[in-house]
Amino acid sequence: MNAMLTSSQRQLLRAISESGPLSRTEMAQMLGLSKAAMSGIARDLIDLGVLHETEIVYGQGRPSVLLDLHPECAFFVGISLLEDPAPMILSDLNGKIIARQAMPLSRDPKVIAEAITEGLPSLLEAHPDAKEKLSGIGVALSGFVDESQANCVKSTLLGWQDVPLAKIIRERSGIETFIENDAKAVAVSEKLFGSAREIQNFSVVSLGDGIGCAHFIDGRLYRGNHGGAGEIAHCTIEPGGSPCRCGKRGCLDTVASMKAIKEMSRAEGLECTSLSDIENEASTGNAAAIRILHRAGSALGLAIANLIQMNDPGLILITHVEGSFEGLFGTVVNQAIETNVLPRYAGQTPIRIKRVDGDVWARGAAGIAAHNFLIGSSY
Amino acid sequence: MNAMLTSSQRQLLRAISESGPLSRTEMAQMLGLSKAAMSGIARDLIDLGVLHETEIVYGQGRPSVLLDLHPECAFFVGISLLEDPAPMILSDLNGKIIARQAMPLSRDPKVIAEAITEGLPSLLEAHPDAKEKLSGIGVALSGFVDESQANCVKSTLLGWQDVPLAKIIRERSGIETFIENDAKAVAVSEKLFGSAREIQNFSVVSLGDGIGCAHFIDGRLYRGNHGGAGEIAHCTIEPGGSPCRCGKRGCLDTVASMKAIKEMSRAEGLECTSLSDIENEASTGNAAAIRILHRAGSALGLAIANLIQMNDPGLILITHVEGSFEGLFGTVVNQAIETNVLPRYAGQTPIRIKRVDGDVWARGAAGIAAHNFLIGSSY
DNA sequence: ACACTAAGTTTAGAAAATGAACAAATCAAC
DNA sequence: GTTGATTTGTTCATTTTCTAAACTTAGTGT
């Protein structure tokens, strides 16, 4: 239903998704079109149910009517293949989670497609609206995804190589489907729904068991030439350091991922099962805990500083699941960023910390579907 | 004369500049237009003298006529403010250098504009064609330049802050003028004239007294949020290492720039004035020379590896003025890249080495002018 | 010489934009 | 209140840009 949007219509949707509600006149200025053209485009999109009039702003002269996306004009399903059971959520066009369930994870694409298809009815059960207007499925996974957001080029976690997962799910479920790398999916959903809406250049660093990263450049997700842009986890931070499961040494992942921090704690004989535990130990003066947090924080900070130097993003968004950035770890990270960035730049790149819950990945996946619905893959 | 090109015409020029000569049918496919539309666009551009028919390719059916940019349809002047005297070159639309001279360098923008204007007649003297079709001036400088390629936000070397250099030169000379950071200018000219024409994502690392770097992403120069994308020289490579003039420690610049290499040699008591000298010493077994080249090479390699991990470019183009990459330095660089890149990726990112002469910067500057003539700043 | 093939052009007409005039909805001022 | 100023948004005739389909052109293969 959505494939036949004009290029201008798409541009408009993109603009609104970036800046929030706009009057027709503002839209016209933004896209460089005449008021006349804008009027027609807006009317069409309102008729389609994608836009609707919201606020009326009074000023001098005729008041302007703000148009915004109609959040209930389309619904999306997002699935994360990062955990077992795999979270599965239903979201609207604002990224609001409307329903949530889980499905069994599998390594067999066909079984996944089957599980998704079977899970849909119950996910949509209490939401007849959503059932009718379900416009896309998004899947987040750990691995490399191609430009078309259809094929998984390689996933070590899932043991895949060149798996056309999107096609398989699409064929089984009958719903438009797109897949994406986990960190990239989060970046897209932050651009669409989150705190980076209006920012054209930013990077997301997602801190969890592993470390993920993705870049938005000139308002678009930058996937890299082999889909590997943002593989910050395997930047060498401690040359000659500990061996990494990737085969080389001293990767950021071996020092600053939650998994690494926990392993280091265990090796030091600390009985810690979470970042908060270690932070607690450190705050009571435990030297080992302090050392570990220092090492991890400096490494992450250095990597982020290098990212800033390299790409000069307008925002670094650090998402983390566990613990908080209020403690020693966060302080060290910030310090390390400051000391490793060109002094002239220090403090010029906003660092935003965002604590996220277990829905991040599924929500990100839904964002991929929403992005394809709204804007499409090309400009 | 050139400001009123259609968006389609610009797209076409971009496509040809990327892929070389194309038949009308190929063009139509590339831009997603009908043959009919293409026919008209091509005719207009031929009438304007921008395109011309070159080769005829015989196959089955009617032979196709390849169209290419007419290299003599426009000429550009490029000036490098990196040296004194400042090189000044005249180039055609292929980047071919047609004439060359020098002008005195100054820190006063007005004096620069004056020198350029006064230098033009003699530069153009033997080329009446070029005089008539001079379509732009480009200026390369060390520092930060804003998005519009008109204002120098900051240049430590020139002691500038917010200098509207392009406007000053434009007003004095009457010629359309654009300025750009040195490394970024080289990247643009490599994209336009050089070895990265068909590549959408690549980074240029320019090795000279200092180290410069610039990224092309999705076919466009990526300037970064503050114009600082590519400041690889001040990535921290040796945490806690030697102090850098930027104020922090262990920057790549303090270890791998030609200046740093020479300084380290002097500190070690080597009587070397060029990279070749040090390479020679190393090849005869001089331990200090070997150590220096190892240290510099590993640092540069690590930085490039981090760049690859971070941005997954389709090509790294290393330009260097002095010496060669055949010796120890080059070997170490390559080795360090290999060992610090995800093993799966190793060798996947082509590294191209290009020895350049003293014209690089001026040629890059001319490329900026040519790029603005052909494609304009926006898409 | 004959069909066959593919490139490029022509034509009429659809699609998408513009510009200028106009209608609508408010504020401000008397 | 009525009037004027002001700005939004619409209408409509016109222009620009692109398309589809038929046609012309210039070759190859048999």
mmCIF file of all heavy atoms in Angstrom, chain B residues 290-332:
data_model
loop_
_atom_site.group_PDB
_atom_site.id
_atom_site.type_symbol
_atom_site.label_atom_id
_atom_site.label_comp_id
_atom_site.label_asym_id
_atom_site.label_seq_id
_atom_site.Cartn_x
_atom_site.Cartn_y
_atom_site.Cartn_z
ATOM 1 N N ILE B 290 65.722 1.473 12.525
ATOM 2 C CA ILE B 290 64.713 0.413 12.479
ATOM 3 C C ILE B 290 63.658 0.658 13.540
ATOM 4 O O ILE B 290 62.457 0.555 13.288
ATOM 5 C CB ILE B 290 65.377 -0.972 12.677
ATOM 6 C CG1 ILE B 290 66.265 -1.295 11.478
ATOM 7 C CG2 ILE B 290 64.313 -2.042 12.885
ATOM 8 C CD1 ILE B 290 67.032 -2.587 11.605
ATOM 9 N N ARG B 291 64.105 1.014 14.741
ATOM 10 C CA ARG B 291 63.180 1.243 15.835
ATOM 11 C C ARG B 291 62.207 2.374 15.495
ATOM 12 O O ARG B 291 60.999 2.261 15.694
ATOM 13 C CB ARG B 291 63.970 1.587 17.105
ATOM 14 C CG ARG B 291 63.188 1.375 18.384
ATOM 15 C CD ARG B 291 64.106 1.406 19.595
ATOM 16 N NE ARG B 291 65.003 2.558 19.588
ATOM 17 C CZ ARG B 291 66.336 2.489 19.577
ATOM 18 N NH1 ARG B 291 66.938 1.304 19.564
ATOM 19 N NH2 ARG B 291 67.056 3.585 19.579
ATOM 20 N N ILE B 292 62.760 3.443 14.948
ATOM 21 C CA ILE B 292 61.922 4.598 14.621
ATOM 22 C C ILE B 292 60.882 4.233 13.568
ATOM 23 O O ILE B 292 59.691 4.542 13.700
ATOM 24 C CB ILE B 292 62.799 5.768 14.130
ATOM 25 C CG1 ILE B 292 63.600 6.319 15.303
ATOM 26 C CG2 ILE B 292 61.949 6.850 13.494
ATOM 27 C CD1 ILE B 292 64.688 7.280 14.894
ATOM 28 N N LEU B 293 61.341 3.567 12.527
ATOM 29 C CA LEU B 293 60.401 3.219 11.456
ATOM 30 C C LEU B 293 59.342 2.245 11.956
ATOM 31 O O LEU B 293 58.177 2.311 11.560
ATOM 32 C CB LEU B 293 61.161 2.624 10.265
ATOM 33 C CG LEU B 293 62.047 3.619 9.525
ATOM 34 C CD1 LEU B 293 62.768 2.933 8.369
ATOM 35 C CD2 LEU B 293 61.229 4.794 9.003
ATOM 36 N N HIS B 294 59.766 1.350 12.837
ATOM 37 C CA HIS B 294 58.813 0.409 13.409
ATOM 38 C C HIS B 294 57.746 1.132 14.210
ATOM 39 O O HIS B 294 56.554 0.867 14.065
ATOM 40 C CB HIS B 294 59.546 -0.596 14.313
ATOM 41 C CG HIS B 294 59.493 -1.980 13.760
ATOM 42 N ND1 HIS B 294 58.397 -2.798 13.916
ATOM 43 C CD2 HIS B 294 60.381 -2.675 13.014
ATOM 44 C CE1 HIS B 294 58.629 -3.942 13.312
ATOM 45 N NE2 HIS B 294 59.831 -3.899 12.742
ATOM 46 N N ARG B 295 58.231 2.042 15.030
ATOM 47 C CA ARG B 295 57.307 2.753 15.902
ATOM 48 C C ARG B 295 56.319 3.584 15.062
ATOM 49 O O ARG B 295 55.107 3.538 15.272
ATOM 50 C CB ARG B 295 58.106 3.665 16.838
ATOM 51 C CG ARG B 295 57.273 4.312 17.902
ATOM 52 C CD ARG B 295 58.154 5.067 18.877
ATOM 53 N NE ARG B 295 57.365 5.994 19.661
ATOM 54 C CZ ARG B 295 57.861 7.060 20.269
ATOM 55 N NH1 ARG B 295 59.168 7.317 20.187
ATOM 56 N NH2 ARG B 295 57.077 7.867 20.951
ATOM 57 N N ALA B 296 56.848 4.300 14.094
ATOM 58 C CA ALA B 296 56.001 5.151 13.255
ATOM 59 C C ALA B 296 55.042 4.309 12.432
ATOM 60 O O ALA B 296 53.839 4.588 12.359
ATOM 61 C CB ALA B 296 56.874 6.014 12.352
ATOM 62 N N GLY B 297 55.576 3.253 11.843
ATOM 63 C CA GLY B 297 54.756 2.404 10.983
ATOM 64 C C GLY B 297 53.646 1.721 11.749
ATOM 65 O O GLY B 297 52.494 1.662 11.290
ATOM 66 N N SER B 298 53.967 1.197 12.938
ATOM 67 C CA SER B 298 52.917 0.527 13.711
ATOM 68 C C SER B 298 51.854 1.516 14.108
ATOM 69 O O SER B 298 50.662 1.190 14.095
ATOM 70 C CB SER B 298 53.469 -0.097 14.996
ATOM 71 O OG SER B 298 54.777 -0.515 14.845
ATOM 72 N N ALA B 299 52.286 2.718 14.461
ATOM 73 C CA ALA B 299 51.302 3.720 14.883
ATOM 74 C C ALA B 299 50.364 4.053 13.732
ATOM 75 O O ALA B 299 49.136 4.038 13.887
ATOM 76 C CB ALA B 299 52.024 4.978 15.365
ATOM 77 N N LEU B 300 50.938 4.327 12.583
ATOM 78 C CA LEU B 300 50.104 4.671 11.438
ATOM 79 C C LEU B 300 49.199 3.500 11.075
ATOM 80 O O LEU B 300 47.995 3.676 10.814
ATOM 81 C CB LEU B 300 50.980 5.051 10.237
ATOM 82 C CG LEU B 300 50.218 5.473 8.995
ATOM 83 C CD1 LEU B 300 49.340 6.678 9.279
ATOM 84 C CD2 LEU B 300 51.171 5.777 7.837
ATOM 85 N N GLY B 301 49.770 2.303 11.086
ATOM 86 C CA GLY B 301 48.973 1.120 10.753
ATOM 87 C C GLY B 301 47.828 0.922 11.725
ATOM 88 O O GLY B 301 46.700 0.615 11.321
ATOM 89 N N LEU B 302 48.108 1.132 12.992
ATOM 90 C CA LEU B 302 47.053 0.965 14.000
ATOM 91 C C LEU B 302 45.950 1.991 13.772
ATOM 92 O O LEU B 302 44.758 1.656 13.815
ATOM 93 C CB LEU B 302 47.659 1.128 15.402
ATOM 94 C CG LEU B 302 46.667 1.118 16.564
ATOM 95 C CD1 LEU B 302 45.829 -0.149 16.544
ATOM 96 C CD2 LEU B 302 47.398 1.260 17.894
ATOM 97 N N ALA B 303 46.358 3.213 13.500
ATOM 98 C CA ALA B 303 45.346 4.254 13.270
ATOM 99 C C ALA B 303 44.489 3.910 12.062
ATOM 100 O O ALA B 303 43.264 4.054 12.082
ATOM 101 C CB ALA B 303 46.031 5.607 13.068
ATOM 102 N N ILE B 304 45.122 3.426 11.027
ATOM 103 C CA ILE B 304 44.366 3.079 9.822
ATOM 104 C C ILE B 304 43.478 1.867 10.099
ATOM 105 O O ILE B 304 42.321 1.801 9.647
ATOM 106 C CB ILE B 304 45.327 2.824 8.640
ATOM 107 C CG1 ILE B 304 45.982 4.139 8.235
ATOM 108 C CG2 ILE B 304 44.584 2.204 7.462
ATOM 109 C CD1 ILE B 304 47.007 4.013 7.129
ATOM 110 N N ALA B 305 43.991 0.930 10.859
ATOM 111 C CA ALA B 305 43.166 -0.228 11.220
ATOM 112 C C ALA B 305 41.932 0.223 11.993
ATOM 113 O O ALA B 305 40.818 -0.248 11.739
ATOM 114 C CB ALA B 305 43.986 -1.218 12.047
ATOM 115 N N ASN B 306 42.141 1.146 12.923
ATOM 116 C CA ASN B 306 40.995 1.653 13.677
ATOM 117 C C ASN B 306 40.001 2.345 12.742
ATOM 118 O O ASN B 306 38.786 2.202 12.895
ATOM 119 C CB ASN B 306 41.460 2.627 14.762
ATOM 120 C CG ASN B 306 42.034 1.899 15.970
ATOM 121 O OD1 ASN B 306 41.855 0.685 16.111
ATOM 122 N ND2 ASN B 306 42.727 2.627 16.817
ATOM 123 N N LEU B 307 40.546 3.066 11.795
ATOM 124 C CA LEU B 307 39.688 3.726 10.812
ATOM 125 C C LEU B 307 38.872 2.690 10.043
ATOM 126 O O LEU B 307 37.670 2.859 9.814
ATOM 127 C CB LEU B 307 40.562 4.554 9.862
ATOM 128 C CG LEU B 307 39.949 5.074 8.580
ATOM 129 C CD1 LEU B 307 38.696 5.884 8.851
ATOM 130 C CD2 LEU B 307 40.962 5.930 7.818
ATOM 131 N N ILE B 308 39.518 1.619 9.660
ATOM 132 C CA ILE B 308 38.814 0.562 8.916
ATOM 133 C C ILE B 308 37.730 -0.052 9.788
ATOM 134 O O ILE B 308 36.588 -0.237 9.363
ATOM 135 C CB ILE B 308 39.806 -0.517 8.444
ATOM 136 C CG1 ILE B 308 40.733 0.062 7.380
ATOM 137 C CG2 ILE B 308 39.061 -1.733 7.904
ATOM 138 C CD1 ILE B 308 41.819 -0.898 6.925
ATOM 139 N N GLN B 309 38.077 -0.351 11.032
ATOM 140 C CA GLN B 309 37.092 -0.945 11.938
ATOM 141 C C GLN B 309 35.911 -0.007 12.135
ATOM 142 O O GLN B 309 34.762 -0.429 12.144
ATOM 143 C CB GLN B 309 37.733 -1.215 13.295
ATOM 144 C CG GLN B 309 38.645 -2.389 13.319
ATOM 145 C CD GLN B 309 37.919 -3.660 12.952
ATOM 146 O OE1 GLN B 309 38.332 -4.360 12.044
ATOM 147 N NE2 GLN B 309 36.816 -3.948 13.611
ATOM 148 N N MET B 310 36.226 1.242 12.270
ATOM 149 C CA MET B 310 35.206 2.233 12.601
ATOM 150 C C MET B 310 34.296 2.508 11.427
ATOM 151 O O MET B 310 33.087 2.588 11.583
ATOM 152 C CB MET B 310 35.929 3.528 12.977
ATOM 153 C CG MET B 310 35.163 4.427 13.873
ATOM 154 S SD MET B 310 35.412 3.970 15.596
ATOM 155 C CE MET B 310 36.808 4.969 16.069
ATOM 156 N N ASN B 311 34.865 2.637 10.233
ATOM 157 C CA ASN B 311 34.096 3.147 9.096
ATOM 158 C C ASN B 311 33.967 2.185 7.925
ATOM 159 O O ASN B 311 33.255 2.483 6.982
ATOM 160 C CB ASN B 311 34.711 4.455 8.598
ATOM 161 C CG ASN B 311 34.384 5.620 9.491
ATOM 162 O OD1 ASN B 311 33.586 5.495 10.413
ATOM 163 N ND2 ASN B 311 34.998 6.749 9.232
ATOM 164 N N ASP B 312 34.676 1.107 7.970
ATOM 165 C CA ASP B 312 34.592 0.113 6.896
ATOM 166 C C ASP B 312 34.600 0.743 5.503
ATOM 167 O O ASP B 312 33.667 0.546 4.718
ATOM 168 C CB ASP B 312 33.303 -0.715 7.092
ATOM 169 C CG ASP B 312 33.197 -1.841 6.073
ATOM 170 O OD1 ASP B 312 34.232 -2.256 5.529
ATOM 171 O OD2 ASP B 312 32.065 -2.300 5.819
ATOM 172 N N PRO B 313 35.621 1.506 5.180
ATOM 173 C CA PRO B 313 35.660 2.140 3.860
ATOM 174 C C PRO B 313 35.968 1.112 2.774
ATOM 175 O O PRO B 313 36.484 0.020 3.060
ATOM 176 C CB PRO B 313 36.806 3.140 3.979
ATOM 177 C CG PRO B 313 37.700 2.555 5.018
ATOM 178 C CD PRO B 313 36.826 1.805 5.974
ATOM 179 N N GLY B 314 35.650 1.465 1.533
ATOM 180 C CA GLY B 314 35.914 0.569 0.420
ATOM 181 C C GLY B 314 37.330 0.712 -0.110
ATOM 182 O O GLY B 314 37.778 -0.067 -0.955
ATOM 183 N N LEU B 315 38.027 1.710 0.401
ATOM 184 C CA LEU B 315 39.404 1.947 -0.045
ATOM 185 C C LEU B 315 40.079 2.900 0.919
ATOM 186 O O LEU B 315 39.450 3.838 1.414
ATOM 187 C CB LEU B 315 39.405 2.581 -1.447
ATOM 188 C CG LEU B 315 40.736 3.144 -1.957
ATOM 189 C CD1 LEU B 315 41.683 2.019 -2.351
ATOM 190 C CD2 LEU B 315 40.506 4.065 -3.147
ATOM 191 N N ILE B 316 41.329 2.600 1.204
ATOM 192 C CA ILE B 316 42.162 3.573 1.911
ATOM 193 C C ILE B 316 43.215 4.024 0.920
ATOM 194 O O ILE B 316 43.938 3.197 0.358
ATOM 195 C CB ILE B 316 42.867 2.954 3.136
ATOM 196 C CG1 ILE B 316 41.867 2.395 4.133
ATOM 197 C CG2 ILE B 316 43.808 3.969 3.773
ATOM 198 C CD1 ILE B 316 41.373 3.360 5.155
ATOM 199 N N LEU B 317 43.252 5.296 0.701
ATOM 200 C CA LEU B 317 44.241 5.820 -0.227
ATOM 201 C C LEU B 317 45.277 6.595 0.578
ATOM 202 O O LEU B 317 44.952 7.609 1.205
ATOM 203 C CB LEU B 317 43.545 6.749 -1.229
ATOM 204 C CG LEU B 317 44.418 7.326 -2.325
ATOM 205 C CD1 LEU B 317 44.983 6.227 -3.208
ATOM 206 C CD2 LEU B 317 43.608 8.304 -3.166
ATOM 207 N N ILE B 318 46.479 6.066 0.595
ATOM 208 C CA ILE B 318 47.539 6.752 1.330
ATOM 209 C C ILE B 318 48.366 7.560 0.345
ATOM 210 O O ILE B 318 48.950 6.990 -0.575
ATOM 211 C CB ILE B 318 48.441 5.747 2.077
ATOM 212 C CG1 ILE B 318 47.610 4.849 2.994
ATOM 213 C CG2 ILE B 318 49.525 6.474 2.859
ATOM 214 C CD1 ILE B 318 48.436 3.818 3.746
ATOM 215 N N THR B 319 48.381 8.849 0.517
ATOM 216 C CA THR B 319 49.234 9.663 -0.345
ATOM 217 C C THR B 319 50.445 10.107 0.463
ATOM 218 O O THR B 319 50.333 10.414 1.638
ATOM 219 C CB THR B 319 48.507 10.920 -0.855
ATOM 220 O OG1 THR B 319 48.285 11.808 0.237
ATOM 221 C CG2 THR B 319 47.171 10.569 -1.479
ATOM 222 N N HIS B 320 51.566 10.076 -0.191
ATOM 223 C CA HIS B 320 52.770 10.528 0.510
ATOM 224 C C HIS B 320 53.661 11.271 -0.463
ATOM 225 O O HIS B 320 53.643 11.017 -1.669
ATOM 226 C CB HIS B 320 53.523 9.345 1.116
ATOM 227 C CG HIS B 320 54.071 8.413 0.094
ATOM 228 N ND1 HIS B 320 55.398 8.322 -0.180
ATOM 229 C CD2 HIS B 320 53.456 7.545 -0.737
ATOM 230 C CE1 HIS B 320 55.592 7.418 -1.135
ATOM 231 N NE2 HIS B 320 54.418 6.930 -1.489
ATOM 232 N N VAL B 321 54.417 12.186 0.085
ATOM 233 C CA VAL B 321 55.273 13.001 -0.766
ATOM 234 C C VAL B 321 56.666 12.406 -0.820
ATOM 235 O O VAL B 321 57.208 12.126 -1.878
ATOM 236 C CB VAL B 321 55.353 14.452 -0.240
ATOM 237 C CG1 VAL B 321 56.156 15.315 -1.183
ATOM 238 C CG2 VAL B 321 53.959 15.011 -0.066
ATOM 239 N N GLU B 322 57.210 12.183 0.350
ATOM 240 C CA GLU B 322 58.609 11.755 0.409
ATOM 241 C C GLU B 322 58.750 10.244 0.321
ATOM 242 O O GLU B 322 57.831 9.502 0.647
ATOM 243 C CB GLU B 322 59.236 12.181 1.740
ATOM 244 C CG GLU B 322 59.367 13.657 1.890
ATOM 245 C CD GLU B 322 59.966 13.966 3.244
ATOM 246 O OE1 GLU B 322 61.087 13.473 3.519
ATOM 247 O OE2 GLU B 322 59.315 14.664 4.025
ATOM 248 N N GLY B 323 59.920 9.833 -0.032
ATOM 249 C CA GLY B 323 60.320 8.440 0.056
ATOM 250 C C GLY B 323 59.370 7.501 -0.656
ATOM 251 O O GLY B 323 58.715 7.860 -1.630
ATOM 252 N N SER B 324 59.300 6.296 -0.149
ATOM 253 C CA SER B 324 58.446 5.324 -0.796
ATOM 254 C C SER B 324 57.873 4.390 0.257
ATOM 255 O O SER B 324 58.276 4.406 1.408
ATOM 256 C CB SER B 324 59.229 4.515 -1.818
ATOM 257 O OG SER B 324 59.835 3.403 -1.199
ATOM 258 N N PHE B 325 56.932 3.599 -0.164
ATOM 259 C CA PHE B 325 56.338 2.621 0.738
ATOM 260 C C PHE B 325 56.911 1.230 0.481
ATOM 261 O O PHE B 325 56.392 0.239 0.963
ATOM 262 C CB PHE B 325 54.820 2.623 0.580
ATOM 263 C CG PHE B 325 54.129 3.387 1.668
ATOM 264 C CD1 PHE B 325 54.332 4.747 1.811
ATOM 265 C CD2 PHE B 325 53.296 2.757 2.568
ATOM 266 C CE1 PHE B 325 53.707 5.456 2.815
ATOM 267 C CE2 PHE B 325 52.665 3.448 3.580
ATOM 268 C CZ PHE B 325 52.877 4.809 3.705
ATOM 269 N N GLU B 326 57.965 1.195 -0.302
ATOM 270 C CA GLU B 326 58.568 -0.095 -0.633
ATOM 271 C C GLU B 326 59.415 -0.610 0.530
ATOM 272 O O GLU B 326 59.651 -1.797 0.658
ATOM 273 C CB GLU B 326 59.465 0.039 -1.865
ATOM 274 C CG GLU B 326 58.784 0.673 -3.068
ATOM 275 C CD GLU B 326 57.733 -0.238 -3.647
ATOM 276 O OE1 GLU B 326 58.078 -1.367 -4.003
ATOM 277 O OE2 GLU B 326 56.553 0.178 -3.723
ATOM 278 N N GLY B 327 59.883 0.305 1.356
ATOM 279 C CA GLY B 327 60.840 -0.066 2.398
ATOM 280 C C GLY B 327 60.199 -0.573 3.675
ATOM 281 O O GLY B 327 59.048 -1.020 3.690
ATOM 282 N N LEU B 328 60.955 -0.492 4.745
ATOM 283 C CA LEU B 328 60.529 -1.015 6.037
ATOM 284 C C LEU B 328 59.260 -0.333 6.519
ATOM 285 O O LEU B 328 58.326 -0.981 6.990
ATOM 286 C CB LEU B 328 61.662 -0.812 7.059
ATOM 287 C CG LEU B 328 61.366 -1.305 8.475
ATOM 288 C CD1 LEU B 328 61.077 -2.799 8.477
ATOM 289 C CD2 LEU B 328 62.535 -0.986 9.403
ATOM 290 N N PHE B 329 59.219 0.985 6.377
ATOM 291 C CA PHE B 329 58.074 1.750 6.880
ATOM 292 C C PHE B 329 56.766 1.216 6.302
ATOM 293 O O PHE B 329 55.841 0.867 7.042
ATOM 294 C CB PHE B 329 58.263 3.229 6.524
ATOM 295 C CG PHE B 329 57.179 4.117 7.061
ATOM 296 C CD1 PHE B 329 56.980 4.247 8.424
ATOM 297 C CD2 PHE B 329 56.354 4.818 6.198
ATOM 298 C CE1 PHE B 329 55.976 5.072 8.921
ATOM 299 C CE2 PHE B 329 55.351 5.641 6.685
ATOM 300 C CZ PHE B 329 55.165 5.768 8.047
ATOM 301 N N GLY B 330 56.742 1.093 4.991
ATOM 302 C CA GLY B 330 55.531 0.598 4.330
ATOM 303 C C GLY B 330 55.173 -0.799 4.790
ATOM 304 O O GLY B 330 53.997 -1.118 5.045
ATOM 305 N N THR B 331 56.181 -1.649 4.904
ATOM 306 C CA THR B 331 55.940 -3.019 5.343
ATOM 307 C C THR B 331 55.313 -3.044 6.729
ATOM 308 O O THR B 331 54.331 -3.755 6.973
ATOM 309 C CB THR B 331 57.275 -3.802 5.385
ATOM 310 O OG1 THR B 331 57.959 -3.567 4.162
ATOM 311 C CG2 THR B 331 57.022 -5.278 5.583
ATOM 312 N N VAL B 332 55.886 -2.245 7.607
ATOM 313 C CA VAL B 332 55.367 -2.226 8.978
ATOM 314 C C VAL B 332 53.948 -1.696 9.004
ATOM 315 O O VAL B 332 53.075 -2.220 9.702
ATOM 316 C CB VAL B 332 56.281 -1.377 9.892
ATOM 317 C CG1 VAL B 332 55.668 -1.231 11.269
ATOM 318 C CG2 VAL B 332 57.659 -2.010 9.991
#
